[in-house]
Amino acid sequence: MALSNEEIERYSRQLILKNIGGRGQERLKKGKVLIVGAGGLGSPVAYYLAAAGVGTLGIIDSDRVDLSNLQRQILHSTARVGQPKAASARETLLALNPALSINTYELRLGKDNILDIIRDYDVIVDGVDNFPTRYLLNDACVMTGKTLVEGGVLQWDGLVMTIKPGQGPCYRCIFPDPPPPGSVPSCQEAGVVGPVPGIIGCIQAAEVLKILLETGETLTGRLLIYNALEMRFREIKAERNSKCPVCGDNPRIRELEEYTLVCQTKAAGEDEV
């Protein structure tokens, strides 16, 4: 996939980097990344991957743009309130980089459709704020060997980790089971400061680029935690749990399961932060 003259100019600041160059940029052009959620996390992830020249992006979101989203979900605008988020995201990303291929899915992920959707992508990015979808994504990626870049935010805090099945721990190695319904507030209930998902989403985007380029060190086996009030990052090392219910030596979860939604403040129930 040779680069055009326009692409060489567009990505010139990346092409001069020794660990990207022309071959690396071509790898990005061939890359296929699925972003689950076009909200607070999915917005910066999608925006920076599009800007960097990742050739194919998939955007999953079943919700519509709400005025309350605009404080942090930068893919959308006031004029698009009421429009499907996936379509709004596609319009924004193509305005930034019209050479991209963008697949949109205006649906909610479930055990009956997730495997068919993630099959065609190199990397999956978690931009959701409900535990059922988070655990479903983790399990599906472990079972299919797909790399998953996990992210989460709440109030002034955020976390990121990269899950590479067979090379490190999965989400369940650290958090084996979803919390009981109602025990953890959603962003709709507890709030979130706009820049926090922006920062976490940018870190997720950087992880994706390193994975596609096969360069640098990813957050595999490392849980990165950010607190904006203290302006501190801390890192927790994690190892694969041999008793993990999905990736352990004798997993009890061998088929995909679905869980009751924890946060359903809106009638439709939101997946995005």
Side-chain angles (χ1 to χ4, degrees):
M1 301 181 74
L3 302 176
S4 66
N5 290 335
E6 180 179 335
E7 288 172 321
I8 291 172
E9 181 178 359
R10 178 184 288 270
Y11 308 122
S12 60
R13 299 303 187 273
Q14 291 180 178
L15 290 169
I16 60 176
L17 297 175
K18 64 179 182 180
N19 50 1
I20 298 184
R23 290 186 179 180
Q25 193 64 53
E26 290 173 2
R27 290 178 67 94
L28 295 181
K29 187 175 180 178
K30 294 177 183 177
K32 298 180 179 181
V33 179
L34 178 67
I35 302 162
V36 184
L41 290 173
S43 287
V45 173
Y47 217 92
Y48 275 102
L49 294 184
V54 176
T56 301
L57 297 177
I59 308 288
I60 299 181
D61 203 302
S62 62
D63 202 8
R64 292 177 177 270
V65 179
D66 187 85
L67 190 61
S68 65
N69 301 149
L70 302 183
Q71 160 254 10
R72 64 202 178 281
Q73 299 182 15
I74 59 173
L75 282 176
H76 315 298
S77 67
T78 304
R80 295 189 202 148
V81 169
Q83 295 183 14
K85 284 187 180 179
S88 173
R90 185 176 191 275
E91 184 176 345
T92 298
L93 297 174
L94 288 178
L96 174 67
N97 192 343
L100 304 180
S101 175
I102 300 180
N103 305 318
T104 58
Y105 307 86
E106 294 180 17
L107 51 78
R108 182 177 294 282
L109 278 182
K111 67 178 183 179
D112 295 328
N113 61 19
I114 188 170
L115 296 181
D116 287 336
I117 294 175
I118 69 175
R119 179 181 296 121
D120 295 330
Y121 293 91
D122 304 314
V123 184
I124 316 299
V125 179
D126 182 355
V128 307
D129 77 345
N130 72 73
F131 287 103
T133 307
R134 191 179 305 281
Y135 279 84
L136 180 67
L137 272 172
N138 176 80
D139 297 353
C141 288
V142 169
M143 292 177 185
T144 57
K146 295 286 185 180
T147 298
L148 172 65
V149 179
E150 175 67 50
V153 296
L154 191 68
Q155 298 182 341
W156 294 85
D157 301 298
L159 62 83
V160 191
M161 68 179 294
T162 292
I163 298 163
K164 292 184 177 182
Q167 299 182 40
C170 75
Y171 190 76
R172 284 188 188 267
C173 289
I174 305 171
F175 309 104
D177 295 293
S183 63
V184 179
S186 70
C187 288
Q188 298 172 29
E189 299 163 328
V192 62
V193 179
V196 172
I199 291 166
I200 298 299
C202 286
I203 295 173
Q204 288 180 285
E207 287 288 283
V208 172
L209 293 179
K210 289 185 294 181
I211 292 164
L212 293 177
L213 293 166
E214 296 184 355
T215 190
E217 183 178 353
T218 65
L219 288 168
T220 305
R222 297 185 292 151
L223 181 65
L224 184 66
I225 298 175
Y226 170 65
N227 179 271
L229 278 178
E230 299 177 359
M231 198 50 67
R232 294 183 185 275
F233 286 92
R234 63 189 179 98
E235 183 179 299
I236 298 175
K237 292 186 177 180
E239 297 182 354
R240 174 181 168 272
N241 181 357
S242 62
K243 296 182 180 181
C244 175
V246 70
C247 78
D249 296 340
N250 296 292
R252 62 176 170 82
I253 300 174
R254 298 179 182 274
E255 295 182 356
L256 294 177
E257 301 176 0
E258 290 187 7
Y259 302 90
T260 303
L261 277 174
V262 174
C263 51
Q264 273 190 319
T265 301
K266 291 192 173 184
E270 288 188 336
D271 273 354
E272 321 73 25
V273 174

